[in-house]
Amino acid sequence: MKELSLNILDVAENSVKAKATVTAIRLTDDGETLTLTIEDDGCGMTEEVVRGVTDPFYTTRTTRKVGLGLPLLKLAAEQTGGEMTVVSRAAAEYPDTHGTTVTARFFTAHIDCPPLGDVVETVLTLIQGHPDTDFLFCHTVGEREVSLDTRELRQVLEDVPLNSYEVLQWIEAFLREQYQ
């Protein structure tokens, strides 16, 4: 994938498929490294599955025999001298504390560090496609922070769906304004 925002979209889509009610997407840029963390409260994975998720020929999907999302994210991080980790707790073993956390660290000065891409569009795509799932987005660059929590929006909007045109327009303007 040419941009990290596409990796974010892929991993967050996996969280939705894992029946997560909340998916947190955190980006932290300290000037030297960019750390991407995607954490969910989905069904989680067993230790055996976690060991295989970075193998492109291992997948739990039945529609195709390869799963490239996490292997490509891991490769992108490692090409910059960084790394990727996956920590997961399966619901069958941990009924109260299940979920998955994917963390990738990139050294931003490295020539192979992919661009971030349009994370605002990524967040909008996730909300539009999954209006019943909550997303927490936080991008910290130095001391500056851009954030959105759909749980807060739901409290204000009450019965207005998050994927309505007007709400999506407001979310986009809200996030883009924070980036200015």
Side-chain angles (χ1 to χ4, degrees), residues 73-130:
L73 180 60
K74 180 180 181 194
L75 177 64
E78 289 176 347
Q79 285 180 326
T80 72
E83 74 253 334
M84 185 192 80
T85 60
V86 179
V87 176
S88 192
R89 296 169 66 106
E93 297 175 61
Y94 303 94
D96 298 327
T97 58
H98 54 84
T100 301
T101 302
V102 175
T103 304
R105 187 169 54 114
F106 301 83
F107 286 93
T108 55
H110 196 283
I111 193 169
D112 290 326
C113 188
L116 181 56
D118 193 343
V119 291
V120 172
E121 283 299 323
T122 296
V123 172
L124 285 170
T125 299
L126 288 165
I127 294 169
Q128 183 176 18
H130 308 289

Side-chain angles (χ1 to χ4, degrees), residues 16-33:
V16 172
K17 289 176 187 163
K19 300 190 183 343
T21 58
V22 179
T23 300
I25 301 165
R26 293 183 180 86
L27 294 158
T28 306
D29 186 342
D30 66 9
E32 294 181 20
T33 61

Side-chain angles (χ1 to χ4, degrees), residues 129-142:
H130 308 289
D132 297 328
T133 300
D134 280 312
F135 295 96
L136 167 64
F137 173 73
C138 183
H139 185 179
T140 305
V141 180

Side-chain angles (χ1 to χ4, degrees), residues 22-53:
V22 179
T23 300
I25 301 165
R26 293 183 180 86
L27 294 158
T28 306
D29 186 342
D30 66 9
E32 294 181 20
T33 61
L34 173 66
T35 303
L36 162 64
T37 304
I38 301 174
E39 182 178 6
D40 69 50
D41 63 353
C43 65
M45 297 178 277
T46 65
E47 287 181 33
E48 178 186 346
V49 173
V50 170
R51 282 192 297 271
V53 294

